[in-house]
Amino acid sequence: MPNRRIIKARDLAGIFIYQDPKQGTIFYDIFSRKGYILTSSDVKTYSLYTTIFPLSIIVAFGAMSLFNLNYLVTAIVFALAYLLGALAFRFMFFYKLPEAKNWKPVKKESIFLYLARGYSVTRLVILICLLIALSILMPIYANVSGYQGINLYGSYLVGAAALLGAIITIISLILKLKNNY
């Protein structure tokens, strides 16, 4: 039987996850502006929460291919799936956790430093190449396929977002190489 690594609460990381030396792992809810204490027994449920975004994308693209939806309706399906999943987790999981009393979030590092410290040079270079390829190929594909209206603009938007991601990753790579992160 393979060795399974048991993930503890202190191993969690993310945008709204903070490691407090006194109170442990804290999930900060930006809507209620409160911190909720995550224990190691809550890790499996929290891990399920982190899959809401990719699952919403899968649901949206599945609906798009099944029902031949355009990009606007697909974006609405994605937003609804994500919103329903996020609300369900907030009310059925996070708000039932113990609240961290008198706790305030500390400022986290920027996305540039996060990428520079968290990924190797090779991974950053591969990510840059993939994002640049996506930013070039999406508009080309949209024009070749004869997209019009919202579908054309959606393809351009995805290409622009990929280009922005490539620029952020390039800055992170430069920081990594200059500062030996």
Side-chain angles (χ1 to χ4, degrees):
M1 186 146 73
N3 248 350
R4 293 185 126 192
R5 182 174 169 246
I6 298 172
I7 299 174
K8 299 187 182 206
R10 67 174 177 261
D11 299 329
L12 295 177
I15 297 173
F16 303 115
I17 296 291
Y18 294 86
Q19 298 297 336
D20 186 80
K22 294 180 182 175
Q23 298 191 42
T25 304
I26 307 288
F27 171 79
Y28 180 66
D29 182 33
I30 58 171
F31 299 113
S32 67
R33 299 203 183 270
K34 295 178 184 175
Y36 297 94
I37 300 171
L38 286 170
T39 62
S40 292
S41 62
D42 300 322
V43 169
K44 281 188 179 181
T45 310
Y46 176 78
S47 297
L48 199 60
Y49 168 73
T50 62
T51 63
I52 290 175
F53 188 77
L55 285 177
S56 299
I57 291 173
I58 291 169
V59 165
F61 279 108
M64 182 175 88
S65 63
L66 262 170
F67 302 113
N68 201 20
L69 304 175
N70 65 22
Y71 284 128
L72 180 62
V73 176
T74 303
I76 292 170
V77 169
F78 164 76
L80 286 174
Y82 183 75
L83 184 67
L84 287 174
L87 286 175
F89 264 96
R90 285 192 193 285
F91 289 107
M92 296 171 72
F93 175 62
F94 290 123
Y95 294 161
K96 293 183 179 178
L97 293 173
E99 187 179 325
K101 301 291 181 198
N102 300 323
W103 182 83
K104 299 288 181 209
V106 294
K107 186 174 179 179
K108 288 195 170 188
E109 63 187 16
S110 71
I111 185 73
F112 306 112
L113 289 176
Y114 176 77
L115 288 172
R117 290 186 179 144
Y119 295 97
S120 67
V121 172
T122 308
R123 284 186 175 204
L124 289 174
V125 169
I126 290 171
L127 183 60
I128 290 167
C129 293
L130 290 173
L131 288 171
I132 288 174
L134 184 64
S135 69
I136 293 169
L137 294 176
M138 279 302 289
I140 291 173
Y141 178 73
N143 287 327
V144 169
S145 297
Y147 286 167
Q148 294 177 352
I150 192 74
N151 293 338
L152 179 67
Y153 299 129
S155 296
Y156 287 158
L157 185 65
V158 170
L163 183 62
L164 179 64
I167 292 169
I168 290 170
T169 310
I170 289 169
I171 293 170
S172 298
L173 179 63
I174 291 169
L175 281 174
K176 183 171 191 74
L177 293 174
K178 276 188 176 181
N179 298 321
N180 294 324
Y181 287 129

